[in-house]
Amino acid sequence: MARAALPGTSLRLARLSGHGDGRFLLIPLDHSVSDGPITTAAGFHDLVHDLVAGGADGIVVHKGRARLIDPEALASCSLVVHLSASTAHGPDTDAKVLVGDVAEALRLGADAVSVHVNIGSHTEAAQLADLGTVAAACDRWGIPLIAMIYPRGPRMTGPPSPELVAHVVNVAADLGADLVKTVFADPPERMSEVVASSPVPVLVAGGADSRQSLAEFARTALATGCRGLAIGRRIFTSPTPRQTVRELADIVHGSLHDTLPPSNRLAGVL
């Protein structure tokens, strides 16, 4: 049985699922810290408007970028403030450090916060400690925590097994995450086992794999029981991000919802 969320957490989770169906379409835009600018400053403003118009439930940005977003642009879209960072130029790109806190995120109007953890990295212990610290603050303030957790590091070789993905997902849940974003484990029927093992909703990252269209990937992910998508790069590099998001939003919140058992809907996880 899922744990009861605090009233503030429940309210913000409901807001984060823009259609009130317990399904989520989040667009991470934090890549400008890890990899460099994803567009021009003016282009970022236009991108946010396109994502919201397309039907994104939430965007994920760092605290400084959150201050620069037109508040009116987020009238129908949630704000998630990402608290972890590293850059592609560091000696260990799998090492993540906290660069913000829950109180800052709340002052910015955040509906949720997110923390990145790489299981199998050299700094796994510190990242787990950070996740636990942020989880405690989220409980104190009544704000949802999204754990972006991956099997990633020098001990991780080859595609992650379903057993490994299930492990990292449950690490996030056990340490206090309300939602978990992770990789998709092939084959799809094994991803269903990953989802079944998790006491909190699982969202999948889109990555850079172009062997499937985003629409095909979304349908496959939802059919396994995943509760949504958290895809950035394959959307903001699209020539038509608004249309891409609209197509994904139709899949995430559309007819597939009728095929999911009631236990997979929002009322079953709050």
Side-chain angles (χ1 to χ4, degrees):
M1 181 176 180
R3 69 183 176 92
L6 295 172
T9 304
S10 297
L11 176 63
R12 291 183 175 99
L13 272 174
R15 191 181 299 148
L16 191 61
S17 176
H19 291 69
D21 57 2
R23 310 281 286 274
F24 305 87
L25 176 58
L26 305 182
I27 316 299
L29 300 174
D30 55 295
H31 303 68
S32 50
V33 168
S34 56
D35 301 321
I38 62 176
T39 184
T40 64
F44 192 92
H45 172 85
D46 295 338
L47 175 62
V48 169
H49 280 272
D50 278 341
L51 300 179
V52 174
D57 292 314
I59 61 168
V60 184
V61 296
H62 282 282
K63 60 185 181 182
R65 187 73 62 167
R67 295 187 180 100
L68 302 175
I69 295 174
D70 176 8
E72 291 185 5
L74 298 180
S76 61
C77 180
S78 291
L79 173 66
V80 180
V81 174
H82 194 46
L83 303 183
S84 303
S86 68
T87 77
H89 311 292
D92 182 359
T93 57
D94 296 322
K96 298 290 180 177
V97 297
L98 291 182
V99 291
D101 60 39
V102 172
E104 278 184 302
L106 284 169
R107 287 195 296 271
L108 289 166
D111 297 291
V113 297
S114 58
V115 173
H116 187 135
V117 176
N118 289 321
I119 297 296
S121 67
H122 290 304
T123 62
E124 175 191 294
Q127 293 178 52
L128 289 175
D130 288 342
L131 178 61
T133 297
V134 172
C138 286
D139 273 350
R140 187 162 62 250
W141 290 102
I143 185 170
L145 170 59
I146 304 168
M148 301 185 178
I149 191 164
Y150 305 93
R152 188 178 293 169
R155 298 183 62 189
M156 304 297 173
T157 58
S161 69
E163 292 82 4
L164 181 55
V165 177
H167 187 184
V168 303
V169 162
N170 277 270
V171 167
D174 286 340
L175 294 185
D178 298 288
L179 300 173
V180 182
K181 172 193 173 187
T182 194
V183 295
F184 188 88
D186 281 321
E189 56 268 22
R190 298 299 308 279
M191 188 65 191
S192 297
E193 297 173 14
V194 172
V195 173
S197 78
S198 176
V200 299
V202 176
L203 313 181
V204 289
D209 189 352
S210 58
R211 289 174 296 178
Q212 275 187 310
S213 72
L214 267 180
E216 291 170 332
F217 176 74
R219 292 189 183 96
T220 299
L222 295 199
T224 69
C226 291
R227 297 284 293 280
L229 310 171
I231 297 176
R233 191 183 311 277
R234 293 183 69 184
I235 290 176
F236 63 70
T237 60
S238 165
T240 55
R242 181 181 302 201
Q243 183 58 39
T244 301
V245 171
R246 181 172 291 124
E247 184 176 15
L248 293 178
D250 287 344
I251 294 169
V252 170
H253 297 294
S255 59
L256 275 175
H257 177 256
D258 298 329
T259 70
L260 294 181
S263 60
N264 272 355
R265 298 181 186 175
L266 190 62
V269 299
L270 296 182

